[in-house]
Amino acid sequence: MIELFAFPTDELLQKNEVVVSLSLNSESNSFDIDANQIQFQNLLKQAKEKLCEKFDEKYCNSLLEKVNGLKDNTDFWRKVTESIVFYITPDEVYFYRLSLPVYTGTVVSEQAYILPLIANFQYTSYYHLLCLNHDKFSLYNGRENRIQKIDLPEDAPITLTKALGEELTGGALNVADYAGGPGTGMFHGHNEKSNEVEIDQINYFRVIDKYVNEHFSKPTGLPLVLFALPENIADFKRISKNAYLDETRVEASSAQLLANDIQAKTSEVVDKIINRRYEKLVEKFEETTPEFKLGAQYNDLAMASIQGKIDTLLLEDHYQVNGTIDENGQYQEGLETKIYVNQLVQNVLKTKGNVYVLDKASMPSNTGIAALLRF
């Protein structure tokens, strides 16, 4: 079973013989986990009923037994967040711990039912937070406005002296707070070696950049958010080769802060990011001319998604259309639920488009669904 952090991923965008998608909201705390375990067992029963409509019982049992051990895994359920989504495929089981509520239910299809993930990832969700000081760093897993410190291994270059060792050119460092206050770290090198001290710091930032990039950013594909003083942010940004370094940053020193203080300052920035990105989305919708917009035109939307013409898809929360998209990109009205919109979203993401799920009050269109086409 593999926990996923980035979205979208190839694992979720490929077709399978069958994918069982299970989503549930957490109803208990870490001291009372029975409710979640009962929910999960009920979802498995629903999944088996739906699976057995298409496959024989032996196949159904072999697929679902991949998660049988979870039913009594109390340690796993203690770590459940606001909600959780599972994807059971013939080859593997994937799951996400999410920070927003989701629809509790089961979907059996050839594709993963990914709509519960959209709202969690559409602005900012999972990320790494790099707390960077002149001579040390720490790293956190971030999910929305909550962070959890990562325990780095013994060989991690946590401090400047550990990272550079005998390669230090500036000798011993003398760092004074002076008027800047605790944690501001103004540099002074012994024997007038301030230039060499600056070289050491840049070399250290290069070591940090390489370490975080190779061990965290590349393997997960998560954005990297800096928490540092403005001058350290500027220096790190200048030398960084990390493609996942985000434009978002917290301009403050973490040197004298507890984890709760770091989380509080990060939360302020994350909230601003979400508001700013939503405002840009609405502005983009309003500036797009009518010939590059589609509303509830299900056949046109289906064909545009297949052809890769949709740049941005907007959905009102819980919006659904009965029916499917066939292999020719045509909308086929039918009794199927939770299929058409999911297919549409899958097609848009596969062609590098963007998808947003908004509540009714935030939706810039009154049609419940809208697409902005590529020029």
Side-chain angles (χ1 to χ4, degrees):
M1 191 165 71
I2 300 173
E3 181 172 10
L4 298 178
F5 297 94
F7 176 79
T9 65
D10 291 340
E11 294 91 339
L12 299 187
L13 296 183
Q14 63 185 6
K15 278 194 173 183
N16 288 271
E17 182 179 20
V18 65
V19 181
V20 178
S21 304
L22 308 175
S23 55
L24 63 88
N25 283 315
S26 177
E27 292 187 358
S28 60
N29 56 45
S30 59
F31 303 103
D32 179 17
I33 60 174
D34 290 347
N36 284 334
Q37 291 174 300
I38 292 170
Q39 271 199 102
F40 184 66
Q41 290 177 18
N42 290 336
L43 289 176
L44 288 180
K45 290 177 183 176
Q46 293 176 22
K48 185 173 180 179
E49 290 176 3
K50 293 181 179 181
L51 275 171
C52 287
E53 292 175 4
K54 300 181 179 180
F55 304 95
D56 62 56
E57 187 170 1
K58 182 179 179 180
Y59 181 84
C60 298
N61 290 335
S62 68
L63 194 67
L64 296 179
E65 71 181 9
K66 296 175 184 292
V67 293
N68 274 345
L70 278 181
K71 290 186 288 187
D72 301 315
N73 188 336
T74 55
D75 184 60
F76 178 87
W77 293 107
R78 284 193 187 100
K79 297 176 182 176
V80 169
T81 52
E82 182 77 23
S83 57
I84 189 166
V85 179
F86 299 91
Y87 297 102
I88 307 169
T89 75
D91 298 320
E92 189 55 84
V93 178
Y94 306 98
F95 74 97
Y96 287 89
R97 292 185 175 99
L98 305 177
S99 56
L100 294 176
V102 297
Y103 162 83
T104 296
T106 305
V107 176
V108 174
S109 178
E110 294 178 347
Q111 294 177 298
Y113 185 67
I114 58 177
L115 283 172
L117 304 176
I118 301 296
N120 276 268
F121 288 94
Q122 59 191 1
Y123 296 122
T124 181
S125 188
Y126 292 92
Y127 56 91
H128 285 128
L129 181 71
L130 174 60
C131 290
L132 180 69
N133 296 297
H134 68 274
D135 62 347
K136 63 182 179 180
F137 82 93
S138 55
L139 197 64
Y140 292 79
N141 281 321
R143 183 183 287 118
E144 292 291 340
N145 54 16
R146 286 173 284 190
I147 61 171
Q148 182 177 22
K149 191 171 184 178
I150 298 173
D151 293 325
L152 297 173
E154 282 293 322
D155 61 350
I158 297 172
T159 65
L160 182 148
T161 51
K162 185 175 182 179
L164 300 184
E166 296 180 358
E167 296 180 18
L168 276 168
T169 59
L173 294 178
N174 179 22
V175 184
D177 290 330
Y178 291 91
T184 54
M186 296 174 63
F187 285 98
H188 297 272
H190 291 304
N191 304 322
E192 299 182 350
K193 289 187 176 181
S194 56
N195 288 337
E196 294 178 350
V197 169
E198 186 176 343
I199 291 171
D200 286 336
Q201 180 175 327
I202 294 301
N203 287 338
Y204 181 46
F205 283 1
R206 285 196 175 96
V207 172
I208 296 172
D209 182 59
K210 182 178 180 181
Y211 179 82
V212 173
N213 194 18
E214 290 183 353
H215 291 86
F216 294 93
S217 298
K218 283 183 179 179
T220 64
L222 296 182
L224 180 66
V225 176
L226 280 182
F227 189 123
L229 292 170
E231 55 268 31
N232 288 339
I233 290 174
D235 288 342
F236 189 86
K237 183 179 177 182
R238 188 171 67 252
I239 60 91
S240 179
K241 298 184 184 302
N242 191 327
Y244 300 95
L245 183 61
D246 198 78
E247 62 181 13
T248 307
R249 65 280 313 264
V250 185
E251 295 187 347
S253 171
S254 62
Q256 306 296 324
L257 299 181
L258 299 174
N260 286 343
D261 300 320
I262 294 173
Q263 180 168 288
K265 286 186 175 294
T266 303
S267 177
E268 295 173 9
V269 174
V270 169
D271 289 342
K272 289 178 182 177
I273 297 166
I274 291 173
N275 291 335
R276 185 168 63 247
R277 292 182 180 176
Y278 169 71
E279 290 168 0
K280 287 183 178 179
L281 178 65
V282 173
E283 183 180 346
K284 180 179 180 180
F285 181 85
E286 292 175 346
E287 290 179 351
T288 301
T289 53
E291 65 267 29
F292 290 100
K293 287 181 183 177
L294 289 174
Q297 300 147 266
Y298 304 139
N299 205 54
D300 291 341
L301 285 168
M303 183 58 69
S305 74
I306 292 286
Q307 295 174 338
K309 292 182 178 180
I310 297 179
D311 175 79
T312 303
L313 179 67
L314 306 178
L315 293 166
E316 190 176 303
D317 196 17
H318 304 304
Y319 186 86
Q320 289 294 342
V321 176
N322 289 343
T324 62
I325 300 174
D326 68 20
E327 63 275 11
N328 298 315
Q330 298 293 313
Y331 165 59
Q332 299 295 331
E333 187 175 358
L335 299 177
E336 299 89 348
T337 59
K338 298 188 178 7
I339 302 297
Y340 172 86
V341 172
N342 190 60
Q343 288 178 305
L344 197 64
V345 169
Q346 287 262 0
N347 292 341
V348 172
L349 293 177
K350 284 176 184 176
T351 53
K352 308 301 180 184
N354 302 294
V355 182
Y356 296 89
V357 174
L358 307 173
D359 59 46
K360 189 170 185 177
S362 302
M363 187 75 177
S365 165
N366 59 6
T367 59
I369 186 170
L372 305 182
L373 305 180
R374 292 187 167 105
F375 294 103

